[in-house]
Amino acid sequence: MKDIYRIKANPHALKENQVKGEKYRITVLTEGLVRLEYSEDGVFEDRPTQMALNRDFAPADFRVLHTKDEIEVHTLRLHLTYNEKAFSGSGLSIQVKGNVSNYHSIWHYGEEIRDLGGTARTLDEADGAIKLGHGVVSRFGYSVLDDSGSQVIEEDGWVCPRKKGVKDLYFFGYGHDYKEALKAFYRLCGKTPMLPRYALGNWWSRYYAYTEESYINLMDRFEAEGIPFTVAVIDMDWHLVDIDEKYGSGWTGYTWNREYFPDPKGFLGKLHERGMHVTLNVHPAAGVRGHEEMYKPMAVAMGVDYEHEDPVSCDVADPVFMEHYFTYLHHPREKEGVDFWWIDWQQGTSSRVEGLDPLWILNHFHFLDNGRDGKRPMTFSRYGGPGSHRYPVGFSGDTVITWESLDFQPYFTSAASNIGYGWWSHDIGGHMKGYKNDELTARWFQLGIHSPIMRLHSTNSEFNGKEPWRFKWEARKAMELALRQRHRMIPYLYSMNYRSYNEDLPLIEPMYYEHPEDGEAYEVRNQYYLGSELVAAPITGPCSRQLNMAGVSVWLPKGRWYDIYTGMIYDGDRCLRMYRDINSIPVLAKAGGIVPFTEEISAREAAGNPASFTVCVYAGADGTFTLYEDDNEGCGYEDGICVKTVMTYREGMEGRDTDAVFTIEPAVGDLSLIPGRRRFTVELAGFLPEAAGKVRVLVDQKAMERERVVISYKSRKQALVLGLDAVDVRQRIEIVLPAELQVKGNGVKERVFEFLNQAEIEFELKDAVYALVMREKRIPVVLGQLEAMGIDRELYQALTELLTGM
């Protein structure tokens, strides 16, 4: 095969890490990761597989004890016992050392694995929860991945089946060090590549028979409404669908429908001029039939009788077919302007070669082929099993439009991180069936912008579009705010994109990654870390019609937390119900958090590195954030070609005991990648208005001229705002203000009034509640009185949130 299809792998383990017998091999890869092989002929596999690429781990520290009947292998984390016979429950066991579980931390071969879940191939037709596959982390301290049936990858890049009857398992026993387990997984299976920057913007997708004119008109409308998109997803009607029945179904196709798209190259060029990138849908299963414009050259290449129009079968088990598949079917479209492909494989896991899943091989080779010219590759397809994180982005399939579907997706997304799968893309708003509910769709948008990928989609129905103007005004406003906010977040998301690659930490992390010993972290299944600085708790149920708000149960870890949208500040180490109107969900920044945004949100602007930022800083603890930038579409990041800008917030620094100092360090790296001068707007949340008269701005230790600084205050967010004139990126910026001028509360009376004013409850009840809040300063007394009044439970919980924030 071509060189581009040969992967980089280091599959040979160190001999010194291996314990071998006549028919078994145990490889201690790390103190918590062990490979277990059994083969009757004593021949073991040292080639890469679909899942495992790299076994060249550093020398491991372990001891081997031989007794009359068995061997024991000890590492710092594990104790393995094995009778040196065919693997069995009585003959092979591994115990995770330490106080992980009272009696569940020992595994016997063949036992059912009870872990924290991984992900699934698809959510097609899911209406709520589905069963998940395995991941590599468990509250019991271990999990097991079975690699016995996966294909082997040969030196020329092609695959071949494994020898039958062998056992090839990987035991992950990291206790509750979940991040270490995940890093070992990535070390074994390969890193998650970075996405191109444009992939982090909004994607427009709809199964609908657009024409070139109607599609461009729609993009014009979005632009006029100030709604940005960076990716155009063209579903299957781009190609010929209504074909002669002698050729079968039009579900598969590679020939443009010239009636709809008379000038494909010109059409794609118009989208590129807007700053958009394009993917086309393809269902490859039916192969190439006689009606396709590339049928004859493809048939000749494959030795098929083209004179009788015999079809060219889609044989993904044939390397010759796969090479011609790209050469004749995809590369011509890419020359016209297609950027990547949406591989919509729905035909199961069988192929001509036993054990070879067509989905996996399509994902694997599409990703490699997409990078053949040196650009950063990407594909878009369903999950093909462990190791699929190497081929982002994931298409989760056609979900049903219900609250139950929405409620499952946050958990589904975060659990996928347990198998290293960090870039799921869902049909935001749901795909099919179900019902129209404006509030449901708005909440789905809000989940979408706080997800790995924000892609709207819907099935082929005149009534099922996701254009915001099709919805009632309140929902429309919330949707538009969400779409713009996604683009504002790109500097933060792109830095997390690099973190995912460099530090092996997915964008979305279950709460138990950071808090493995806190039971509450396992209970809030729909709550997750969104990168290093934020926690999101999507609202996945309808609002109370009396309160005009919807609630979600939230667990706050220790520390102080700021809602980046409402400005509410909370003391942590507790659970509570949070209530939000249609405009937002709880998204919380930790004290010391630093989050860079930008107002440069058009598609053209979003594809590049901004000249201006809004940096939100949250007082109450020290913090550090590194803004990462590169060329956004190439692979230079693999060689460290980038720019990093470190930002720090410190309270009580040495020599400045009473000061709070926010610092933007000089940019470091290849400065040709970014603008030479930049404007920063810095929002310092958690400070009193009086701080405006005390703040100082230094550039390279010299005071910035007063006329170059615009100071204001956002009362709702209790944030001091400094708009700085453009500064050379090689200069150091410091903002200094008194640490003691931090806020001590949330403006409870004002917030309670606003809440009661909009609530649709009895006027006398409003008056009674407000009078109580106004006259009684002791919060426990207020809560007791409210309880005694017998008010509605949700009303009580909503008031409790406001009264007990901090």
Side-chain angles (χ1 to χ4, degrees):
M1 302 195 76
K2 296 177 182 177
D3 286 345
I4 59 167
Y5 302 131
R6 298 181 182 181
I7 61 170
K8 297 177 182 179
N10 296 288
H12 293 276
L14 294 177
K15 297 291 185 183
E16 60 201 87
N17 283 354
Q18 300 175 17
V19 180
K20 290 183 69 174
E22 182 181 354
K23 296 182 179 181
Y24 71 86
R25 182 170 66 173
I26 298 170
T27 307
V28 182
L29 296 170
T30 74
E31 63 186 20
L33 174 57
V34 177
R35 185 187 189 193
L36 306 166
E37 295 172 275
Y38 187 86
S39 176
E40 281 294 334
D41 63 6
V43 178
F44 305 104
E45 186 57 73
D46 286 321
R47 292 170 293 179
T49 66
Q50 288 175 257
M51 184 184 87
L53 301 184
N54 307 305
R55 306 185 190 98
D56 61 330
F57 286 70
D61 185 8
F62 64 96
R63 294 181 295 116
V64 181
L65 304 178
H66 293 269
T67 67
K68 180 180 178 181
D69 299 318
E70 61 188 17
I71 64 169
E72 296 182 33
V73 179
H74 286 269
T75 74
L76 183 64
R77 294 182 182 271
L78 306 175
H79 176 201
L80 180 150
T81 304
Y82 175 45
N83 66 3
E84 301 186 275
K85 299 177 182 179
F87 291 170
S88 67
S90 59
L92 174 60
S93 66
I94 303 178
Q95 182 169 13
V96 179
K97 296 178 180 179
N99 187 25
V100 177
S101 169
N102 290 334
Y103 46 86
H104 290 301
S105 59
I106 184 168
W107 168 76
H108 296 271
Y109 175 81
E111 287 183 342
E112 181 182 356
I113 301 301
R114 290 177 289 178
D115 57 20
L116 287 163
T119 194
R121 186 181 182 94
T122 181
L123 291 177
D124 283 333
E125 299 192 28
D127 186 7
I130 65 168
K131 184 179 180 180
L132 302 182
H134 290 300
V136 298
V137 300
S138 168
R139 295 190 78 173
F140 296 157
Y142 68 85
S143 190
V144 179
L145 295 181
D146 188 346
D147 199 34
S148 305
S150 72
Q151 301 284 302
V152 170
I153 302 175
E154 300 185 291
E155 285 189 12
D156 67 354
W158 192 240
V159 295
C160 68
R162 296 286 290 266
K163 180 176 56 179
K164 290 186 177 181
V166 301
K167 300 297 182 184
D168 189 359
L169 311 177
Y170 290 86
F171 181 92
F172 291 80
Y174 282 86
H176 291 167
D177 291 341
Y178 301 143
K179 289 185 178 182
E180 287 301 309
L182 196 58
K183 289 181 179 181
F185 173 82
Y186 284 125
R187 176 69 176 81
L188 175 70
C189 302
K191 282 185 169 291
T192 298
M194 284 189 69
L195 301 185
R197 190 181 190 94
Y198 67 79
L200 299 175
N202 298 315
W203 299 27
W204 176 256
S205 179
R206 186 183 179 192
Y207 176 25
Y208 188 78
Y210 288 108
T211 65
E212 175 179 336
E213 181 181 12
S214 66
Y215 202 91
I216 295 300
N217 287 342
L218 178 62
M219 296 302 109
D220 287 340
R221 173 73 185 271
F222 281 130
E223 193 167 337
E225 299 281 349
I227 302 173
F229 288 92
T230 55
V231 177
V233 183
I234 316 294
D235 212 322
M236 58 180 286
D237 286 290
W238 70 271
H239 64 71
L240 294 173
V241 173
D242 297 322
I243 60 176
D244 192 314
E245 64 180 15
K246 71 179 180 179
Y247 299 119
S249 164
W251 202 250
T252 296
Y254 300 95
T255 302
W256 283 98
N257 183 336
R258 298 281 176 163
E259 181 182 350
Y260 291 173
F261 299 96
D263 178 15
K265 187 174 182 179
F267 168 64
L268 298 174
K270 291 176 183 177
L271 294 174
H272 286 153
E273 288 170 5
R274 297 168 182 266
M276 300 181 74
H277 289 70
V278 185
T279 182
L280 301 185
N281 174 278
V282 59
H283 298 91
V288 187
R289 281 79 54 78
H291 72 283
E292 302 280 12
E293 65 183 21
M294 69 291 292
Y295 167 73
K296 183 175 179 180
M298 184 71 176
V300 170
M302 292 301 299
V304 170
D305 184 353
Y306 62 86
E307 292 183 350
H308 289 89
E309 292 191 329
D310 290 349
V312 179
S313 298
C314 179
D315 185 1
V316 298
D318 180 359
V320 175
F321 171 81
M322 288 304 296
E323 291 209 32
H324 294 320
Y325 168 81
F326 290 111
T327 299
Y328 295 107
L329 308 184
H330 293 86
H331 294 174
R333 300 288 84 92
E334 292 175 27
K335 287 181 181 178
E336 293 168 342
V338 175
D339 296 290
F340 64 102
W341 292 89
W342 173 11
I343 306 137
D344 204 348
W345 181 267
Q346 299 169 302
Q347 282 72 32
T349 60
S350 298
S351 70
R352 188 168 49 82
V353 173
E354 184 178 355
L356 178 59
D357 184 348
L359 176 62
W360 181 86
I361 205 163
L362 287 166
N363 292 352
H364 177 76
F365 284 105
H366 261 283
F367 186 83
L368 296 175
D369 188 78
N370 192 243
R372 69 187 182 281
D373 295 328
K375 72 176 182 180
R376 195 176 304 178
M378 190 168 75
T379 191
F380 181 41
S381 184
R382 291 172 175 84
Y383 175 74
S388 293
H389 63 278
R390 300 190 299 265
Y391 318 119
V393 166
F395 165 52
S396 68
D398 302 336
T399 50
V400 177
I401 305 171
T402 62
W403 283 106
E404 289 77 14
S405 288
L406 172 61
D407 185 54
F408 181 60
Q409 284 190 2
Y411 168 68
F412 179 79
T413 308
S414 64
S417 295
N418 296 336
I419 194 66
Y421 201 67
W423 293 111
W424 266 126
S425 170
H426 303 306
D427 287 1
I428 296 301
H431 179 71
M432 61 185 183
K433 301 179 181 177
Y435 41 78
K436 186 176 190 289
N437 182 298
D438 289 18
E439 182 190 1
L440 168 64
T441 308
R443 293 303 188 194
W444 224 318
F445 272 52
Q446 290 161 352
L447 168 65
I449 70 165
H450 302 103
S451 295
I453 301 295
M454 173 52 174
R455 177 182 55 86
L456 305 178
H457 193 51
S458 52
T459 194
N460 191 7
S461 166
E462 290 291 343
F463 302 101
N464 198 7
K466 299 300 190 302
E467 299 91 339
W469 52 82
R470 297 172 69 115
F471 297 83
K472 292 191 289 289
W473 172 249
E474 285 190 346
R476 172 182 176 175
K477 178 183 173 185
M479 294 172 187
E480 292 176 350
L481 284 172
L483 292 167
R484 296 182 190 113
Q485 175 68 2
R486 176 67 181 198
H487 278 224
R488 292 185 70 241
M489 295 171 65
I490 288 177
Y492 176 70
L493 295 172
Y494 197 73
S495 296
M496 294 300 103
N497 181 19
Y498 175 70
R499 172 178 176 258
S500 175
Y501 162 77
N502 188 55
E503 300 181 30
D504 297 324
L505 294 171
L507 171 67
I508 305 295
E509 295 179 14
M511 295 300 292
Y512 46 76
Y513 277 25
E514 293 288 341
H515 313 280
E517 305 307 327
D518 291 306
E520 296 91 341
Y522 300 88
E523 299 300 320
V524 285
R525 302 203 324 169
N526 276 7
Q527 181 181 325
Y528 51 85
Y529 275 94
L530 179 66
S532 60
E533 311 298 290
L534 301 174
V535 167
I539 291 174
T540 59
C543 75
S544 160
R545 294 306 171 194
Q546 286 188 310
L547 304 185
N548 290 318
M549 292 188 174
V552 59
S553 294
V554 177
W555 171 62
L556 295 173
K558 292 178 181 178
R560 180 159 291 176
W561 298 86
Y562 295 73
D563 188 305
I564 69 171
Y565 297 124
T566 67
M568 273 288 290
I569 307 174
Y570 304 88
D571 288 328
D573 198 17
R574 60 180 172 135
C575 298
L576 74 159
R577 291 282 291 179
M578 292 187 180
Y579 286 81
R580 298 294 181 270
D581 63 20
I582 193 67
N583 293 309
S584 72
I585 62 172
V587 178
L588 306 160
K590 63 184 181 181
I594 301 169
V595 186
F597 299 96
T598 185
E599 306 307 321
E600 300 174 26
I601 65 171
S602 72
R604 297 179 189 88
E605 293 169 324
N609 297 318
S612 61
F613 293 91
T614 297
V615 183
C616 294
V617 184
Y618 299 92
D622 293 351
T624 300
F625 184 84
T626 300
L627 175 70
Y628 174 88
E629 298 169 285
D630 57 25
D631 68 357
N632 299 310
E633 290 192 42
C635 295
Y637 72 90
E638 296 175 346
D639 299 317
I641 302 173
C642 64
V643 180
K644 296 180 181 180
T645 305
V646 176
M647 304 178 187
T648 62
Y649 176 76
R650 298 286 183 267
E651 294 181 354
M653 296 173 61
E654 184 176 352
R656 293 174 168 176
D657 293 344
T658 62
D659 287 338
V661 183
F662 173 63
T663 304
I664 302 175
E665 298 289 353
V668 175
D670 184 354
L671 300 187
S672 68
L673 296 169
I674 64 173
R677 296 177 66 81
R678 280 179 156 163
R679 289 176 289 106
F680 289 94
T681 298
V682 179
E683 293 189 8
L684 294 151
F687 282 92
L688 295 166
E690 292 83 348
K694 304 285 187 178
V695 67
R696 294 177 290 133
V697 180
L698 307 176
V699 178
D700 284 347
Q701 299 184 324
K702 295 181 181 179
M704 180 178 258
E705 298 87 343
R706 202 66 181 176
E707 62 270 17
R708 296 182 62 198
V709 183
V710 177
I711 302 175
S712 59
Y713 191 78
K714 289 186 176 180
S715 299
R716 185 71 175 171
K717 293 188 175 182
Q718 300 190 96
L720 182 67
V721 182
L722 292 89
L724 309 183
D725 201 358
V727 175
D728 192 302
V729 296
R730 296 168 296 181
Q731 294 181 301
R732 188 172 191 255
I733 302 171
E734 291 178 281
I735 297 175
V736 185
L737 66 169
E740 70 270 14
L741 291 180
Q742 293 185 34
V743 300
K744 301 295 191 294
N746 278 305
V748 170
K749 294 177 180 178
E750 293 82 0
R751 288 183 180 271
V752 169
F753 178 84
E754 291 174 4
F755 167 70
L756 291 173
N757 189 50
Q758 61 82 49
E760 297 183 36
I761 58 176
E762 296 88 346
F763 287 111
E764 290 182 353
L765 179 56
K766 291 188 182 191
D767 290 334
V769 170
Y770 189 59
L772 173 62
V773 172
M774 290 297 290
R775 72 172 181 266
E776 179 56 69
K777 296 181 179 180
R778 297 168 296 174
I779 298 302
V781 174
V782 175
L783 294 175
Q785 287 288 94
L786 291 172
E787 185 78 33
M789 290 167 62
I791 64 174
D792 174 78
R793 185 65 182 168
E794 283 201 300
L795 175 58
Y796 178 82
Q797 290 174 328
L799 289 167
T800 299
E801 178 195 354
L802 297 175
L803 292 166
T804 66
M806 65 178 294

